[in-house]
């Protein structure tokens, strides 16, 4: 019952408290039904005999009906009251639940976290003193250091062992030509002796002993690796350098439109740089060919790369010199037109001066001839102006001859 909700508990308690009134009602209804049936049978029999008896019975039935109505009303009133009381209780329970939920929601919103510093005090028994604690701390640090040294010595031992096996495979295989035969035999005997030492006395040796022996072997093995790397990568660098030299040597004699503006002096400089690089490479190749693989190389890949860069930087500047900018043609045409205009204006001025002198020398009879002469230079000036305007319009148009060919 504790797990039930409030509303269901209240209904359960009220059901127990209610008196059982339904059972007598059912019994009374059954008796009434039986009595009604008997009365109907009696009435059907007596209807034929007497009408008066029917009247009496109808009156009796009316009286009984009037008596039963107040009984039914009295029984229905408590039922209605009980139902209303149940509804009121349910409403009260629901209201209580709603209020509780509202209060809960409000409480959740009103919750605030409060932090406080707590001071903990206590009595600790069997606590270590400072001297004892420091001693134990030192012992722990020493143990940690010992473990570290053991681990490092084991790693050094493994490195030495693996390098011995790797170096033996190299001198017997791919790096056999990069060491003298006498040195190779001596190195192989040293490797076997060192391998025996590792297995016999390696457990007693310390880290420094392993590192010293490893360094001795690397001083022999690292130069062999370097000589092998130089031999494998030298030829590719030599071919690339020769291609660059040949490219600039051929460029000197080129007649391409891109390089017509470059003079002979600059072309000679490019040829000189290319020839010097070619000479250096041939001399170094001759020296390197005389050497054997186990000897230190004279022609190194680093030197070839430096020569390649210097040749490219020196020659590329000259090859990529830009063309000089051409003068614009329109400005030249404008300058020629201006000169022509100046010449025509000067000629017209001289003609006017001559005509004025002639008019002053002649008499009054020659006035008409002077006027006609004065009109002629005006016409000439007008024709010159028309010619100038036509020349200005035809500046941009190309001049063509009779056959339609361009005239320069």
């Amino acid at each position: 019952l504790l797990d039930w909700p409030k509303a269901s508990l209240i209904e359960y308690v009220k059901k127990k408290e209610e008196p059982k009134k339904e059972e007598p009602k059912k019994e009374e209804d059954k008796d009434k039904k039986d009595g009604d049936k008997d009365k109907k049978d009696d009435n059907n029999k007596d209807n034929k005999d007497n009408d008066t008896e029917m009247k009496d019975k109808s009156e009796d039935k009316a009286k009984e009906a009037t008596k039963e109505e107040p009984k039914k009303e009295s029984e229905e009133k408590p039922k209605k009251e009980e139902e209303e009381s149940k509804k009121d209780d349910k409403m009260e329970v629901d209201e209580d639940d709603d209020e509780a939920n509202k209060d809960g929601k409000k409480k959740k919103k009103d919750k605030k976290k409060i932090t406080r510093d707590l001071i903990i005090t206590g009595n600790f028994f069997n606590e270590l003193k400072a001297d004892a604690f420091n001693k134990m701390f030192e012992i722990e640090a020493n143990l940690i250091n010992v473990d570290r040294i053991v681990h490092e010595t084991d790693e050094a031992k493994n490195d030495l062992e693996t390098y011995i096996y790797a170096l033996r495979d190299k001198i017997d295989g791919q790096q056999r030509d990069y060491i003298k035969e006498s040195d190779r035999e001596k190195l192989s005997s040293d490797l076997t002796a060192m391998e025996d030492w590792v297995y016999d006395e390696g457990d007693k040796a310390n880290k420094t002993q392993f590192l010293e022996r490893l360094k001795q072997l690397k001083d022999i093995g690292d130069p062999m690796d370097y000589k092998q790397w130089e031999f494998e990568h030298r030829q590719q660098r030599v071919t690339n350098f020769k291609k660059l030299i040949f490219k600039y040597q051929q460029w000197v004699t080129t007649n391409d439109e891109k390089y017509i503006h470059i003079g002979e002096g600059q072309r000679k400089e490019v040829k000189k740089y290319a020839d010097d690089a070619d000479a250096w490479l041939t001399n170094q190749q001759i020296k390197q060919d005389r050497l054997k693989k186990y000897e230190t190389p004279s022609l190194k890949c680093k030197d070839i790369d430096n020569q390649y860069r210097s040749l490219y930087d020196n020659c590329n500047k000259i090859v990529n010199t830009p063309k000089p900018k051409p003068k614009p043609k329109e400005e030249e045409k404008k300058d020629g037109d201006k000169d022509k205009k100046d010449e025509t204006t000067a000629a017209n001025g001289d003609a006017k001066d001559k005509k004025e002198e002639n008019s002053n020398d002649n008499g009054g009879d020659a006035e008409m001839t002077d006027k006609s002469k004065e009109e002629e230079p005006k016409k000439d000036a007008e024709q010159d102006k028309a010619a100038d305007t036509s020349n200005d319009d035809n500046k941009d148009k190309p001049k063509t001859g009779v056959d339609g060919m361009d005239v320069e």
Side-chain angles (χ1 to χ4, degrees):
L1 294 173
L2 294 172
D3 295 332
W4 288 18
K6 291 181 180 180
S8 59
L9 284 169
I10 291 164
E11 289 178 358
Y12 178 73
V13 172
K14 286 183 177 180
K15 283 179 182 178
K16 283 188 174 183
E17 292 177 355
E18 288 176 359
K20 294 181 180 179
K21 295 179 181 180
E22 293 179 355
E23 293 177 356
K25 289 179 182 179
K26 290 179 181 180
E27 290 177 357
E28 288 176 359
D29 293 332
K30 287 179 182 180
D31 294 335
K32 287 177 182 178
K33 288 178 182 179
D34 295 333
D36 293 332
K37 287 179 182 180
D38 295 333
K39 288 176 181 178
K40 286 178 181 179
D41 294 332
D42 294 332
N43 291 325
N44 290 324
K45 289 177 182 179
D46 294 333
N47 283 330
K48 294 177 181 180
D49 296 332
N50 295 315
D51 294 330
T52 57
E53 289 179 1
M54 291 295 291
K55 291 179 181 180
D56 296 331
K57 286 179 180 179
S58 60
E59 290 176 358
D60 294 332
K61 285 180 182 180
K63 289 179 181 180
E64 289 177 359
T66 54
K67 289 179 181 179
E68 287 176 357
E69 286 176 358
K71 288 181 180 179
K72 288 180 181 180
E73 291 177 358
S74 62
E75 289 176 357
E76 289 175 356
K77 285 181 181 179
K79 287 181 182 180
K80 291 180 181 179
E81 291 176 356
E82 288 176 359
E83 289 176 356
E84 290 177 356
S85 62
K86 287 179 182 179
K87 289 181 181 179
D88 295 332
D89 294 331
K90 288 180 181 179
M91 293 294 289
E92 289 176 358
V93 171
D94 295 331
E95 289 176 356
D96 295 332
D97 293 333
D98 294 333
E99 289 177 357
N101 291 324
K102 290 179 182 179
D103 295 333
K105 288 179 182 177
K106 288 180 181 178
K107 286 179 182 177
K108 286 181 182 177
K109 290 180 181 178
D110 295 331
K111 280 183 180 179
K112 292 181 182 179
K113 290 182 180 180
I114 298 168
T115 57
R116 293 186 179 86
D117 295 330
L118 299 176
I119 298 168
I120 299 169
T121 58
N123 296 320
F124 300 99
F125 299 98
N126 297 324
E127 186 177 0
L128 290 173
K129 293 181 181 180
D131 296 332
F133 178 78
N134 291 327
K135 286 180 181 179
M136 293 176 76
F137 184 77
E138 289 176 359
I139 291 165
E140 186 181 4
N142 290 325
L143 292 172
I144 292 167
N145 193 14
V146 168
D147 292 335
R148 181 180 59 79
I149 292 166
V150 170
H151 180 68
E152 289 177 356
T153 52
D154 290 336
E155 286 184 349
K157 182 180 177 181
N158 291 327
D159 292 338
L160 179 61
E161 188 177 359
T162 53
Y163 195 77
I164 288 166
Y165 291 125
L167 189 60
R168 182 180 288 144
D169 293 335
K170 287 178 181 179
I171 61 175
D172 292 336
Q174 57 184 355
Q175 291 183 357
R176 190 183 182 89
D177 297 332
Y178 299 97
I179 188 170
K180 287 183 181 180
E181 189 65 25
S182 60
D183 294 336
R184 189 181 71 78
E185 292 176 355
K186 183 181 178 183
L187 181 61
S188 63
S189 62
D190 292 338
L191 290 172
T192 54
M194 196 171 291
E195 185 180 359
D196 295 334
W197 177 84
V198 170
Y199 290 119
D200 294 337
E201 298 179 0
D203 295 333
K204 297 177 183 179
N206 57 13
K207 177 184 172 182
T208 55
Q209 291 176 350
F210 290 117
L211 294 175
E212 287 175 357
R213 283 169 172 74
L214 182 63
K215 187 177 180 299
Q216 290 175 4
L217 295 177
K218 283 188 174 181
D219 291 338
I220 299 167
D222 290 341
M224 292 166 62
D225 294 334
Y226 173 70
K227 292 170 187 176
Q228 185 182 3
W229 187 87
E230 285 284 338
F231 179 77
E232 290 175 353
H233 294 84
R234 187 185 301 120
Q235 190 61 38
Q236 184 64 37
R237 283 173 168 75
V238 169
T239 54
N240 293 331
F241 192 36
K242 284 181 178 179
K243 286 179 182 178
L244 187 67
I245 292 166
F246 182 74
K247 176 186 173 182
Y248 288 125
Q249 286 175 348
Q250 293 293 320
W251 177 85
V252 174
T253 59
T254 187
N255 292 321
D256 194 357
E257 292 181 357
K258 294 180 181 179
Y259 310 112
I260 289 171
H261 62 281
I262 296 171
E264 292 182 357
Q266 292 176 336
R267 290 173 185 266
K268 287 179 181 179
E269 287 180 3
V270 172
K271 190 173 185 299
K272 184 177 181 298
Y273 288 132
D275 293 337
D276 292 340
D278 192 9
W280 177 83
L281 184 62
T282 53
N283 290 327
Q284 292 296 324
Q285 278 184 319
I286 291 164
K287 290 179 183 179
Q288 183 61 39
D289 292 336
R290 292 174 183 173
L291 298 173
K292 294 181 180 180
K293 289 183 180 180
Y294 58 82
E295 293 178 352
T296 56
S298 63
L299 181 59
K300 298 176 182 178
C301 294
K302 180 177 70 175
D303 298 333
I304 296 169
D305 293 336
N306 291 329
Q307 290 291 326
Y308 186 94
R309 290 192 194 94
S310 64
L311 178 63
Y312 179 79
D313 293 336
N314 292 325
C315 294
N316 197 37
K317 292 177 183 178
I318 298 168
V319 171
N320 292 325
T321 52
K323 288 182 180 181
K325 294 181 179 180
K327 293 181 180 180
K329 294 181 180 179
E330 294 179 357
E331 292 180 358
E332 293 178 356
K333 289 181 180 179
K334 289 179 181 179
D335 295 334
D337 294 333
K338 287 179 181 179
D339 294 333
K340 289 179 181 179
K341 288 179 181 179
D342 294 334
E343 289 177 357
T344 54
T345 52
N348 292 325
D350 294 334
K352 287 179 181 180
D353 294 332
K354 288 179 181 179
K355 287 176 182 178
E356 288 176 357
E357 288 176 358
N358 292 324
S359 62
N360 291 323
D361 294 333
N362 294 325
D365 296 330
E367 287 179 358
M368 296 297 289
T369 57
D370 291 333
K371 288 180 181 178
S372 62
K373 289 179 180 178
E374 287 177 359
E375 291 175 354
E376 289 178 358
K378 289 181 181 179
K379 291 179 180 179
D380 294 332
E382 289 176 356
Q383 290 178 357
D384 293 331
K385 287 180 181 179
D388 293 333
T389 55
S390 63
N391 289 326
D392 293 332
D393 294 332
N394 295 323
K395 279 180 185 178
D396 297 330
K397 294 180 182 179
K399 296 178 181 180
T400 56
V402 175
D403 297 332
M405 299 295 289
D406 294 336
V407 177
E408 293 182 355

